[in-house]
Amino acid sequence: MTQTKQHQKQPEKQHQQRPPQYYRRTVWQIYKAVPPRYRILLGMGFMGFSMVGIWASDKLEDMYPPSAESRVVRVDRDATTTATPVVSQGDDLPKRSDS
């Protein structure tokens, strides 16, 4: 049986020895070594993952609303000398007038 050139065993390539500073790179150096196209795709992937997380968080809040026992504790901003916590049920929270 004869083998064609495609099926002949290729000689093994010599592995190049990497310099020691190659293994001491920072995360930023590794990131900058990635081609720009893949850095953009990586960034878009992280943004998509974040958007799905925020969307899922909102859906879970709608499915499981807070119980009646849960309370919001706010610090009264008018009291400048003492910080007295004001306990409220959520709907009657004072509106901010900073803007």
Side-chain angles (χ1 to χ4, degrees):
M1 258 173 132
T2 60
Q3 293 181 344
T4 63
K5 286 188 177 185
Q6 290 178 341
H7 297 291
Q8 289 178 355
K9 188 174 181 180
Q10 297 291 330
E12 292 185 26
K13 294 181 179 179
Q14 294 288 337
H15 292 286
Q16 293 180 349
Q17 188 69 18
R18 292 184 173 149
Q21 63 268 21
Y22 178 82
Y23 297 103
R24 294 186 186 138
R25 296 185 303 170
T26 62
V27 175
W28 181 250
Q29 290 170 332
I30 293 170
Y31 176 75
K32 290 298 284 184
V34 175
R37 175 182 178 188
Y38 296 109
R39 288 195 309 243
I40 290 171
L41 292 174
L42 187 66
M44 290 175 66
F46 282 133
M47 285 190 286
F49 181 77
S50 300
M51 290 172 59
V52 167
I54 291 171
W55 174 81
S57 172
D58 289 342
K59 292 298 178 187
L60 287 172
E61 283 180 357
D62 291 341
M63 289 172 55
Y64 302 104
S67 63
E69 295 88 31
S70 66
R71 295 182 176 188
V72 177
V73 176
R74 299 264 315 227
V75 176
D76 188 7
R77 291 180 185 259
D78 295 333
T80 57
T81 56
T82 61
T84 307
V86 177
V87 179
S88 62
Q89 291 296 326
D91 290 336
D92 56 344
L93 291 175
K95 303 294 184 229
R96 292 182 66 175
S97 61
D98 294 345
S99 48

